[in-house]
Amino acid sequence: MTDASGPRQLDYAQAVHQLAQLVPAGAVISYGDVAELLGSGGPRQVGKAMTTAEVGIPWWRVLRADGNIAEPLLPRAREHWEREKLARPGKRVDIKNLRWNPTPKQWEAIDILRLSLGNPKMSELDDEL
């Protein structure tokens, strides 16, 4: 993904989608967390980017800060949540306890995504997940 000139440029939606793909089954992240990790945008921009997610991108793992998702997506999301044991039937996801904690290799991938958007690498002090 990198060469001598650095990472290839991505548009914001592509970076959001690639970050969502890093979140493993059984973990979740908020729209605001995604924006923070990428170093740009905000929860609304992340939500808008997720509306263009292609098949295979785990959109159900990117949630509102309260552990829920847009009402029209809720029935489909619950199917995934139940399969991944993210929420009890009829309940929202406990985002506080299930929030994704990236591995060192995933942090490297996040830094590449940040750089692809023209943002500096994230230091450990910056990480508030």
Side-chain angles (χ1 to χ4, degrees):
M1 185 171 189
T2 62
D3 60 23
S5 63
R8 72 179 178 95
Q9 293 296 307
L10 298 174
D11 69 31
Y12 193 71
Q14 290 170 320
V16 167
H17 298 162
Q18 287 187 27
L19 193 140
Q21 288 179 305
L22 294 172
V23 181
V28 295
I29 192 168
S30 75
Y31 297 122
D33 292 339
V34 172
E36 179 186 338
L37 289 171
L38 293 177
S40 59
R44 289 182 187 264
Q45 290 81 9
V46 172
K48 183 176 180 184
M50 289 304 293
T51 66
T52 64
E54 296 176 2
V55 172
I57 295 175
W59 54 268
W60 60 91
R61 296 181 192 147
V62 182
L63 311 170
R64 294 178 180 158
D66 69 358
N68 227 326
I69 201 160
E71 189 66 36
L73 298 173
L74 202 48
R76 287 189 13 227
R78 281 194 176 129
E79 293 174 19
H80 293 286
W81 294 350
E82 288 174 19
R83 187 170 37 254
E84 294 184 17
K85 298 181 178 21
L86 293 172
R88 295 186 313 270
K91 301 287 184 181
R92 69 181 62 168
V93 173
D94 182 358
I95 198 166
K96 181 179 176 185
N97 290 317
L98 296 173
R99 183 172 268 124
W100 175 48
N101 185 16
T103 65
K105 187 170 181 102
Q106 290 168 328
W107 278 116
E108 290 175 20
I110 291 166
D111 280 336
I112 291 169
L113 292 173
R114 286 177 68 92
L115 292 169
S116 76
L117 293 173
N119 298 321
K121 287 185 176 182
M122 178 179 261
S123 74
E124 287 186 38
L125 297 175
D126 294 331
D127 173 31
E128 295 180 17
L129 291 182

